[in-house]
Amino acid sequence: MITGLWAVRQYGLRRTPEPDDVHVLVPAEREVTSAGFALIERTTRLPKPQRRDGIPVAPVHRALLDAARRIRDFDTIRAMLAEAVQRGRCQPETLARELEFGSQRGSALPRRALGELFAGARSVAEGDAWRLWRRAGLPDCEWNVPVYDDSGAYIATPDAWCDEVALAWEIDSKEFHFELADYADTLSRNARYAAAGIIVLPTLPARLRTEPEAVVRELRAAYQAACNRPRPPVRRG
């Protein structure tokens, strides 16, 4: 069966590098070796294949980690795993089990990326944000949890939420709103935050890497501002 990057693409995932070869899993007892564009991996853990457009491919979690173990760029691995989880192709727990029982060769970077997913980060930008929040020394926050007002009306699902002081941190998925509908949605969201008395800090994704110290200062200032006012009657879902 096909595994690795070509298999990942069969599941409709696109935040992957361009495949250089076709990674094929075969039973350990088969006397087959790699040749040309075919990368042959003999394994004692041959999973049940899935059929995608008539092609037998490894389950998505196995294909993802077979690919990730051979990639040396952390951001690429993080983006690939985050897309799969974000789009519901697999769960972090399934990836964790595969990492535990699969080959340990090349597993360090996937484990690091998976740690961020378990913490709640669902994108590369949120992974960067998670590390800056920790650097800021603030109380623990939660990631991607819905927030409601005291009547039970939905307010928003902030990227990061500090329930202790009702502070929301939004990392926009795009630095600029190219669509009018996206811009209107953001304005509506921010209006709901304001009406509920929630302090929200918006941050452009690029600044997480280009201005990390400035972002840390802004986080601490926003947290202090949230501490200095009565906590509004809002709750996490």
Side-chain angles (χ1 to χ4, degrees), residues 1-3 7 11 47-50 57-64:
M1 73 189 73
I2 306 297
T3 190
Y11 288 99
K48 182 178 180 181
Q50 308 290 315
V57 299
V60 63
H61 62 278
R62 175 67 178 270
L64 279 164

Side-chain angles (χ1 to χ4, degrees), residues 166-200:
L167 169 64
W169 190 20
E170 291 285 359
I171 313 299
D172 292 333
S173 60
K174 295 180 181 179
E175 293 193 18
F176 302 99
H177 293 285
F178 292 104
E179 299 291 338
L180 182 60
D182 292 336
Y183 182 62
D185 286 346
T186 298
L187 291 179
S188 177
R189 180 202 68 193
N190 290 347
R192 293 194 301 273
Y193 279 138
I198 293 171
I199 290 178
V200 56

Side-chain angles (χ1 to χ4, degrees), residues 132 175 202-215 218:
L132 288 187
E175 293 193 18
T203 302
L204 295 178
R207 296 188 63 232
L208 299 173
R209 295 194 176 187
T210 61
E211 304 174 67
E213 294 305 324
V215 172
E218 292 163 8

Side-chain angles (χ1 to χ4, degrees), residues 14-44:
R14 290 294 177 263
R15 299 185 67 181
T16 64
E18 195 69 31
D20 291 327
D21 46 37
V22 179
H23 189 171
V24 183
L25 295 177
V26 300
E29 62 271 16
R30 292 285 300 275
E31 295 295 334
V32 185
T33 59
S34 300
F37 63 83
L39 172 64
I40 306 300
E41 180 180 346
R42 297 162 61 192
T43 178
T44 58

Side-chain angles (χ1 to χ4, degrees), residues 5-135:
L5 292 174
W6 277 113
V8 168
R9 291 193 168 201
Q10 289 295 316
Y11 288 99
L13 300 174
R14 290 294 177 263
R15 299 185 67 181
T16 64
E18 195 69 31
D20 291 327
D21 46 37
V22 179
H23 189 171
V24 183
L25 295 177
V26 300
E29 62 271 16
R30 292 285 300 275
E31 295 295 334
V32 185
T33 59
S34 300
F37 63 83
L39 172 64
I40 306 300
E41 180 180 346
R42 297 162 61 192
T43 178
T44 58
R45 300 181 57 255
L46 198 67
K48 182 178 180 181
Q50 308 290 315
R51 288 278 173 177
R52 309 291 295 187
D53 295 330
I55 301 172
V57 299
V60 63
H61 62 278
R62 175 67 178 270
L64 279 164
L65 292 175
D66 282 345
R69 289 186 183 101
R70 289 168 170 79
I71 296 172
R72 296 295 173 259
D73 181 70
F74 175 67
D75 285 347
T76 300
I77 294 172
R78 182 169 58 176
M80 191 166 62
L81 299 187
E83 182 191 14
V85 172
Q86 201 166 39
R87 296 180 61 183
R89 297 296 192 271
C90 62
Q91 296 299 315
E93 292 80 7
T94 308
L95 292 168
R97 284 195 297 272
E98 178 61 32
L99 270 177
E100 180 180 355
F101 295 110
S103 171
Q104 298 305 298
R105 184 175 56 189
S107 65
L109 293 181
R111 286 184 189 282
R112 180 178 157 199
L114 194 58
E116 293 185 1
L117 289 177
F118 271 112
R122 293 291 186 263
S123 70
V124 170
E126 287 179 22
D128 291 334
W130 179 69
R131 286 193 295 276
L132 288 187
W133 184 279
R134 294 181 66 188
R135 187 191 299 185

